[in-house]
Every structure is written in structure tokens, then in C-alpha cells.
Amino acid sequence: MRRQTRRTFLTTVGAAGTAGLAGCSGVIGNDSDNSSTTSSTNGKGDGTNTGGEGTTTEGGNDAPAGPQTFEGFEKLGPWSAVDGQGSLKKSTKVKYEGSQSAHIVGSKQTKQGMIHRVNFGDNPADFSGKNLSLAFKCTSHDFVKIAVQLYAPDRGHIVEMKRTLYGPKGKWVRVNLGVTSEMDPKKIDLSKVYEVRIIGRSTDPNTQKPIEFYVDDLKTVPAPDKGMVMLTFDDGLESQYTKAYKTMKKYGFSGVDAIISDAVFDDGFLNRTQMNEMVNDGWDMICHPNTQATPMDKRPKKEQEKLMKECQQWLKKYGYDGHKYMAVPKNVVGPNTFDLAQKHFDLTLSFGASPNALPAIQKNTIISRMYGQGDLKNIKQKIDHAAKYKQLSPLLFHKIGGENGVPEKRFENILKYIKNKNVEVVTISDLEEKGMLI
């Protein structure tokens, strides 16, 4: 099995914890919401191509050079609001980088906001071999969807990158954009993008409040040579050893297990002997705070920090390198949760229903995961997108096999599909080692 000696692993035996457990029921998103949002264009924009601005950053190891600014929103001349889809103005007070950002307020009729830049003329934007990353801040709603559409080259050949964000409201979040849908994929030409659209809306279709959000610092990153899939598991359930690990080992795959440290050794959960065996075969054991019935975002900031640190310190005590990473329990990322995650962890995972751009810009980001028990066609599509666009598709599982678990045959069907695609199965540690977190 690969990477068996990759880490120095401590095997000190510790006592088990107890108590009620966090679980991950929380907010359940719709992974299959991938329909393209299109609307008539008003033809505005000066055709200026701002690609290539900014400086590059080395990704490390054999990774390509780092991010370049495609659009800093220092001038809004090339941009305009799509007719009937809200308003656009500059903001010098709310900004992520530079002197200003783009401020969008949604339409009173549709409640969504949509801006675009068009007419690249003889010099269209060239996004071939590149992935996109955008700074986004919503001040109006707790739960939102952000989407970027590339007209490659026209409205009949749209590549859409949609992300669901269950918070944090009022905070800048770096969205490393992954492809969620494409129109006429065989004829898409990312070297000739004549229009870029940015769309924001609430996840609540019945909201009466127009969305208000800001975008800034749209960057490109050179895509890696191969797309990647990450197999992640929440709660540290016993079936993740007896079913998932045993099956994945046949394919040479390692995974990421988000551990509720209080539950280790409890009935139905992993014990440290099992965890150690998994880690020696390349798995990551990461932090999954025990929030029990009260979600993290509903707790005081000091209490949230206490739960995070307790889980992190337990993992660190027993030598699990994954103590540097956290999977947010119940998916909701409140403003305090986000700030604390940025303070205590190198990387945070939560539900987002989309792949992620690679390399992923690490600062202020949340890695998006998709439910592995969702629509099988949609899951395979996201694996396909990871392969085609050289992106990262993390799948999230809980129980494997048995009552209310993902059927074992279905789980292995997914593994077989991954094995036959041109993708690499990775852990978070692998991403770091490959220079994919920059």
C-alpha cells in the first residue's frame, strides 16, 4: 500500500471519550442543482482584457506558478449589471484587495444580482489550462449561491461554476471555483471566452429580500496535469474501517476521516487501533468538533473555540497530523466559526455541492464537498468534471453498509468509476505535498 511510511506516527494508547455526538445531519444541500442561469445581455463593456495583472506565487514542489489577477475590480468600466438583474456600483469601504470592490444589489423582482463583462473583441479572455478563484462577501443572507459563467464562446457554450455557501454572512470568502455544468461540452473553447457573468442569489426561493453582495480579486491559477478526487468520511464511524477502508484498500485509495474525538472507542465508532492502521495506509484523521444537538454557529464564540481546540488537541496528542484540518459539523459556517477556523486550522471543509479549483488558494477559503449518497449520475458527472478541468472533487460519506448506510455495492461502484477515470485520489496531506494549497 502506498505511503505507508510517509509520516512519523505516534502510537501511544489513550482512554476513550464519551458523551452525545455531533453527527452531520445539519443543512442538507441539493448537489444536483446545476442548471445554467442565463439572461439577455445588454452589450455593455469596453472590451479591455485585464488578464496577467498581479504577481505570481510559487505553489511548491512541482506545482505550476501561482495565482494571477484576471480582474481586480479597480475599474468597473468593463462591467455592468445584466438588464433586470439588479445594480452594480463600486465600493471603496468594503474591499478584499486594492482600493475597491464591485458591489451588487439584486433585483426587486428576481431577488438575484447578476453582472457581466462582454465584448472582448479581437482579444477574448483565454482560460484554457486555467482555473478560477473569486473573493465573495454576502451581507444580506445567511445561505447563498454564487456562480460564475463563462461564455466559451457564446450562450450556446456556457461553462458554469456554482457554489453553495452556508455562511459566513458578512465575511470575505475565497471561492476556488469548480465546474458544475456545461453546455455542448464538445464545442466549448475556453481559449475564446467572450463573456463572463457573476451571479448571486439566496438559497431560499421564497425570499422577499434582494441579495446584496460584493466580489473582488478574480484570479486564475494554472491547472495541474491531472484532476483529483478526495474521499471524505464524517464522524469516525466503525463502518468507515470495516467497509470503506477495507474496500478502498483494494483500489490503492486513501481517505480523509473527520473524527469526533469524544466518540473514539464508543460502540459503532472507530478505535485507535483501527485509526492507526488507516493512517499507516495514508489516511488523514482530521478534526470534527462534537457539537451534539446545538450547531456550531448557534454557540457563543468561546464555546466554539473550546470545542475546536479539544478535538484538535486530542488528535495532536496521539500524533495525528490531520489535527491541522477541520470538517465543519452540520455544514453551517457562522461568522465566528469562520474566524476561528482561520485562526486554528490550515484548511476547513464543508458542504458546497461543487468541485474546487486547483491549485486552491488557501487563505480565507472553504473546501467544498459533495454528498456521496446523492444522485449517482451527478456524482459521476463531478468526477468527470474533475478529470476534464483538472479540479478537485471531494465526496462526503457517513455510514457505509447496513441500515441507513450507503449500500456497499453502490460505494464500490463509485470507486470503480474513479479508478477508470483519469484522476488521482488524494488526501489533504497529499494536496499539501503536491503544492496544491497555495
Side-chain angles (χ1 to χ4, degrees):
M1 181 60 59
R2 63 187 175 89
R3 296 185 287 107
Q4 289 185 354
T5 59
R6 185 183 56 168
R7 303 178 181 85
T8 301
F9 186 73
L10 305 181
T11 55
T12 308
V13 176
T18 57
L21 307 172
C24 292
S25 52
V27 177
I28 303 297
N30 179 6
D31 284 4
S32 61
D33 184 9
N34 295 319
S35 57
S36 294
T37 305
T38 57
S39 184
S40 61
T41 173
N42 60 16
K44 295 181 181 179
D46 65 3
T48 304
N49 189 337
T50 58
E53 298 175 7
T55 58
T56 61
T57 305
E58 291 303 317
N61 295 340
D62 296 326
Q68 292 191 359
T69 301
F70 171 77
E71 178 61 85
F73 298 96
E74 293 298 289
K75 296 180 180 179
L76 296 186
W79 293 87
S80 60
V82 175
D83 286 345
Q85 300 298 328
S87 64
L88 167 67
K89 60 183 179 180
K90 69 180 182 181
S91 172
T92 57
K93 292 184 178 180
V94 181
K95 55 195 176 184
Y96 186 78
E97 292 284 355
S99 65
Q100 67 179 44
S101 68
H103 177 201
I104 300 97
V105 177
S107 159
K108 292 182 179 179
Q109 286 72 39
T110 67
K111 308 302 183 293
Q112 73 175 2
M114 186 185 305
I115 63 172
H116 64 168
R117 55 174 294 166
V118 294
N119 292 343
F120 289 95
D122 294 331
N123 189 25
D126 182 358
F127 292 124
S128 58
K130 300 174 185 177
N131 287 321
L132 296 177
S133 179
L134 178 70
F136 172 82
K137 180 177 183 177
C138 180
T139 55
S140 58
H141 295 77
D142 291 319
F143 302 160
V144 296
K145 288 185 182 291
I146 173 74
V148 173
Q149 295 177 348
L150 307 179
Y151 285 57
D154 52 34
R155 66 173 54 255
H157 307 89
I158 298 174
V159 175
E160 182 171 66
M161 295 160 280
K162 186 185 293 182
R163 175 71 56 85
T164 300
L165 289 173
Y166 290 122
K169 180 181 178 182
K171 296 288 183 180
W172 281 107
V173 181
R174 167 66 66 181
V175 182
N176 294 297
L177 294 154
V179 173
T180 51
S181 65
E182 49 188 357
M183 296 174 62
D184 199 3
K186 291 184 178 180
K187 295 184 179 180
I188 284 172
D189 186 355
L190 288 175
S191 71
K192 296 179 180 179
V193 175
Y194 284 94
E195 181 174 353
V196 177
R197 292 195 179 199
I198 301 175
I199 306 134
R201 65 177 176 87
S202 169
T203 60
D204 178 7
N206 298 314
T207 185
Q208 297 301 307
K209 184 178 183 180
I211 193 169
E212 182 174 8
F213 65 96
Y214 302 79
V215 293
D216 201 355
D217 197 32
L218 178 61
K219 291 186 180 298
T220 64
V221 291
D225 292 335
K226 182 177 285 190
M228 302 179 191
V229 172
M230 187 183 296
L231 300 166
T232 74
F233 302 83
D234 276 6
D235 301 340
L237 301 172
E238 185 178 28
S239 68
Q240 293 160 11
Y241 172 82
T242 59
K243 306 296 184 183
Y245 165 66
K246 296 293 188 180
T247 305
M248 288 167 57
K249 190 171 182 176
K250 297 189 302 184
Y251 293 86
F253 295 164
S254 297
V256 177
D257 210 322
I259 299 296
I260 302 172
S261 56
D262 290 343
V264 176
F265 287 105
D266 282 359
D267 290 343
F269 292 84
L270 297 175
N271 59 52
R272 288 197 50 246
T273 299
Q274 294 167 334
M275 292 169 63
N276 294 354
E277 183 181 345
M278 295 163 78
V279 168
N280 285 333
D281 272 337
W283 283 59
D284 283 339
M285 299 290 154
I286 71 172
C287 186
H288 199 47
N290 184 9
T291 61
Q292 302 182 59
T294 305
M296 187 74 83
D297 66 306
K298 301 299 183 183
R299 295 172 179 268
K301 184 174 183 178
K302 287 186 177 180
E303 193 174 314
Q304 293 188 46
E305 186 168 37
K306 180 175 181 289
L307 292 172
M308 290 182 190
K309 291 175 71 174
E310 284 177 349
C311 187
Q312 184 179 56
Q313 288 168 2
W314 187 94
L315 290 169
K316 191 173 183 179
K317 176 180 178 181
Y318 295 114
Y320 297 103
D321 293 343
H323 67 79
K324 299 179 293 184
Y325 319 120
M326 179 180 71
V328 177
K330 304 186 188 300
N331 298 304
V332 179
V333 185
N336 288 333
T337 312
F338 184 72
D339 288 344
L340 290 168
Q342 294 297 307
K343 177 181 177 181
H344 292 292
F345 299 95
D346 290 352
L347 197 67
T348 302
L349 285 64
S350 189
F351 174 81
S354 72
N356 304 260
L358 285 177
I361 300 177
Q362 198 166 357
K363 183 180 178 183
N364 297 327
T365 200
I366 300 171
I367 293 294
S368 163
R369 299 192 288 173
M370 300 160 285
Y371 285 110
Q373 66 266 38
D375 177 68
L376 190 58
K377 182 179 179 181
N378 182 58
I379 292 169
K380 291 180 177 180
Q381 182 190 61
K382 297 304 185 294
I383 296 168
D384 292 343
H385 287 161
K388 179 177 180 178
Y389 294 99
K390 309 301 189 289
Q391 296 173 346
L392 171 69
S393 287
L395 302 179
L396 167 58
F397 300 92
H398 291 84
K399 185 179 179 183
I400 304 298
E403 187 177 1
N404 300 321
V406 175
E408 293 176 62
K409 287 186 178 180
R410 174 192 167 93
F411 181 68
E412 187 155 14
N413 184 306
I414 294 172
L415 299 184
K416 288 178 181 178
Y417 193 81
I418 294 170
K419 189 72 173 181
N420 291 326
K421 301 298 293 188
N422 186 30
V423 293
E424 185 176 358
V425 175
V426 295
T427 64
I428 307 175
S429 296
D430 291 331
L431 292 179
E432 282 203 316
E433 291 172 7
K434 294 174 181 293
M436 291 293 107
L437 301 177
I438 57 179

